[in-house]
Structures are given as structure tokens and as C-alpha cells.
Amino acid sequence: MAPSGPGSVRRRCRRVLYWIPVVFISLLLGWSYYAYAIQLCIVSMENIGEQEKELLEREPRGEAHQEVLRRAAKDLPIYTRTMSGAIRYCDRCQLIKPDRCHHCSVCDKCILKMDHHCPWVNNCVGFSNYKFFLLFLAYSLLYCLFIAATDLQYFIKFWTNGLPDTQAKFHIMFLFFAAAMFSVSLSSLFGYHCWLVSKNKSTLEAFRSPVFRHGTDKNGFSLGFGKNMLQVFGDEKRYWLLPIFSSLGDGCSFPTCLVNQDPEQPSTPAGLNSSSKNPENHQFPAKPLRESQSHLLTDSQSWTENSTSLGKGKAGMSNPALTMENET
């Protein structure tokens, strides 16, 4: 019979600790198989199939079907279109897509203001949880930076043989490597999403610009840095760093602008001349939607009528001068 006592308990605990590296390697191998077999071979292939489906969506639909969609979307706050100019319609969910809404092949449903599908949380990142996703990145980055900064001096002692020869030094080494590796990856990911917030874009919109009735506009939803921040974090600054939903809007309609020019690029006389020479090509006013959203879904005939009436008025004012010259 094996002796019992504090010594035997320590030996059992030591045997359990010996299995930690084995469990770590097993989990690492299992994760690598999951990442390759599931995420790469299955999920990625489905995403490729979804892209091919979106390519088919760009093909013009039947005129009768489009007429029904146009009548249904006439009173809806829907301003984006497909590449062919048709109403965005989800064949899988059988509904008209709101602006910035996309169908997720993994979740098998349409996601409002979809950013991407995150396999690490097994959920789509969109309108309802985008702020929480940013806070998750920020909290995780601060945690990893704190671990890496406080563990650095002991990591240096590990290589200079300044630590006792125990199992703890191996944990210290792997802890620093993990914290440093995740700090680099999280900082790049968090920085990229901060840039997206400053531009009021989603990941999908960064790779494929939204299409409006007047054409493609990569800055169509950008309202300026300050207002772009408020769209995600809300008006109450006290809630910005708390996991409390405070985003503006309902996820179905978004304020936008009808400016094709990139706000970061300075205006050029050539661009002004091209717009002045062809006024008939500019069917929408270059001003924010809050001042002209009532004209966005209506026919552009009103704009052409106004321009025609202005032209007739100018012609009428110039006619008396011509008659006086003829009389003299």
C-alpha cells in the first residue's frame, strides 16, 4: 500500500503538472486541424460560393420582378443598389436587404451592417455587437500588453539563468511569447478597425465600395470623424468604454452623403469643370443626405425640370436686351 501524506499529495500534483505541456500540444494540434479542415476547407469554400452567388446577383433580373421590388422599396429608406443598379434582394431570406446588410453563409441569415463573421466568437460582427467587438479587442490588447510588460524582466532572467531551476520558468517563457504574439496581432487588428470607425466603413465596404443610385461611392456613409465615432459609440461618452449598447440608429437606415469625391483629396479645378460642363450627368445634389434625402428615392425628373426652368428664366431675361439692340 502506497504511503499517504503531504509528500504523496505533492507527487500527485507534480504528475498532473507534467501533463500540462502534453495537453497544450494536443490542443494546439486539435486547433490546427480545426483551422485547416473546418475554417479553410469548409468555411472558406462556402465564402467563395457566396461570392459567386453575389456575382450572379449582379446580373440583371427580370423586369417584372424588378418592378415589384421597386414598388415595394419606394417608401423604404434604401439607397444602395447592386452593381447592375437593381434593388438588393436576398434570395435565401426572401427579403429586400436594408443598406449595409449582407447575408452570412455561416449563420445563414442576413446581418444588419455586417462587418465580418468571426470564428473566434462563432458569431457575426454587425450593427448590434460591433461596439462590443471593438471593446473586446481593446480589453484583450491591454491585457496582453500588461502581461508582456510585467513578465519581460523575468523573461530576461530566464535567459541569463537568473531564475530558480523550477517548472515556473517555462511557464514564464511561454507566457511572454503568447502575450507578445497576441499583442502584435491584436494591435494590428484593433488599429485597422479604428481606421474603419473613423471612415464609417465596415470590413466588407472597405473591400467592396457600396453602390448608390448615382454610382459607386467609397465614402458614401462617411459623415466626418466626429460623427463617424458617434455612429458606433453613441452620444453619451460615459458609455463609450463600457460594454453597454449605445450605437446610434436602428441598423436598417443610416445617414449618408451624396458626395463622390474623397474628403481626403483636395478639390481640383478639373473636377469642378467636368461637373459644370455636364450638369445633366449630376442627377443628385452634392450635399449631405439630411438635406436631400427626400429626393433620393424619387425620380430625377424634378432636378431636370428645375434646371430647365432656370434655363428658360435666364433666356427670358436676355430676350428684352436682344430686342432693344435690334430696335436701335
Side-chain angles (χ1 to χ4, degrees):
M1 183 176 179
S4 59
S8 62
V9 174
R10 284 195 295 269
R11 282 194 297 271
R12 291 193 185 97
C13 294
R14 196 176 296 115
R15 291 195 187 100
V16 172
L17 294 177
Y18 288 158
W19 282 96
I20 291 180
V22 179
V23 174
F24 175 78
I25 295 299
S26 301
L27 293 176
L28 184 62
L29 292 175
W31 169 80
S32 63
Y33 176 80
Y34 167 79
Y36 183 85
I38 305 299
Q39 296 299 324
L40 177 61
C41 297
I42 298 179
V43 176
S44 298
M45 297 304 176
E46 290 181 357
N47 291 335
I48 293 175
E50 183 69 16
Q51 292 177 0
E52 294 176 353
K53 180 181 177 181
E54 291 183 0
L55 291 177
L56 294 176
E57 183 186 3
R58 298 178 184 178
E59 296 296 329
R61 298 177 180 270
E63 186 60 31
H65 185 265
Q66 274 300 306
E67 183 62 28
V68 173
L69 292 180
R70 279 193 292 267
R71 288 200 301 267
K74 182 178 63 174
D75 298 328
L76 298 177
I78 297 176
Y79 311 130
T80 56
R81 298 293 186 266
T82 62
M83 294 297 294
S84 61
I87 302 295
R88 298 173 66 246
Y89 181 77
C90 181
D91 295 319
R92 194 69 176 268
C93 299
Q94 299 294 313
L95 53 82
I96 298 176
K97 293 181 181 179
D99 290 342
R100 316 182 81 175
C101 176
H102 298 274
H103 186 89
C104 177
S105 59
V106 181
C107 299
D108 196 22
K109 61 182 178 180
C110 287
I111 306 299
L112 296 177
K113 194 187 175 183
M114 180 177 177
D115 187 86
H116 68 285
H117 182 87
C118 183
W120 303 108
V121 296
N122 192 26
N123 196 8
C124 269
V125 178
F127 172 78
S128 61
N129 59 356
Y130 187 65
K131 177 192 173 183
F132 303 137
F133 175 74
L134 289 175
L135 294 180
F136 170 71
L137 294 180
Y139 298 158
S140 302
L141 178 59
L142 291 177
Y143 174 74
C144 292
L145 290 175
F146 175 79
I147 294 297
T150 55
D151 190 42
L152 178 60
Q153 56 178 335
Y154 302 101
F155 178 76
I156 296 174
K157 290 181 180 180
F158 171 82
W159 294 105
T160 58
N161 295 325
L163 292 178
D165 191 12
T166 60
Q167 293 182 356
K169 64 181 183 179
F170 295 102
H171 294 281
I172 293 173
M173 181 184 66
F174 284 113
L175 179 63
F176 179 80
F177 275 127
M181 178 184 65
F182 280 104
S183 296
V184 173
S185 60
L186 286 174
S187 60
S188 60
L189 184 60
F190 180 68
Y192 175 70
H193 279 279
C194 288
W195 176 81
L196 290 178
V197 171
S198 67
K199 296 292 185 180
N200 199 5
K201 293 182 180 180
S202 64
T203 302
L204 296 177
E205 293 168 352
F207 285 96
R208 185 175 62 249
S209 300
V211 181
F212 297 88
R213 288 184 59 183
H214 65 280
T216 302
D217 194 342
K218 65 177 181 179
N219 296 305
F221 294 105
S222 180
L223 308 174
F225 179 78
K227 292 183 179 180
N228 292 341
M229 292 286 293
L230 296 179
Q231 286 294 308
V232 177
F233 293 98
D235 296 325
E236 298 290 337
K237 294 184 178 180
R238 57 183 176 177
Y239 298 138
W240 282 13
L241 300 180
L242 299 178
I244 300 175
F245 182 81
S246 58
S247 301
L248 300 181
D250 56 1
C252 295
S253 60
F254 300 91
T256 182
C257 61
L258 299 177
V259 180
N260 293 326
Q261 187 178 1
D262 190 346
E264 295 181 351
Q265 299 293 332
S267 59
T268 58
L272 296 176
N273 292 334
S274 61
S275 61
S276 61
K277 290 180 181 179
N278 298 319
E280 66 276 8
N281 294 334
H282 189 70
Q283 299 180 356
F284 296 94
K287 54 185 177 181
L289 180 64
R290 60 179 178 272
E291 301 177 7
S292 60
Q293 59 182 354
S294 60
H295 301 285
L296 188 58
L297 288 179
T298 59
D299 191 7
S300 60
Q301 184 179 359
S302 59
W303 298 102
T304 57
E305 290 178 354
N306 292 335
S307 61
T308 304
S309 62
L310 289 176
K312 291 182 178 179
K314 292 181 179 179
M317 294 176 63
S318 60
N319 286 336
L322 293 175
T323 54
M324 291 178 65
E325 291 179 357
N326 294 330
E327 290 177 357
T328 57

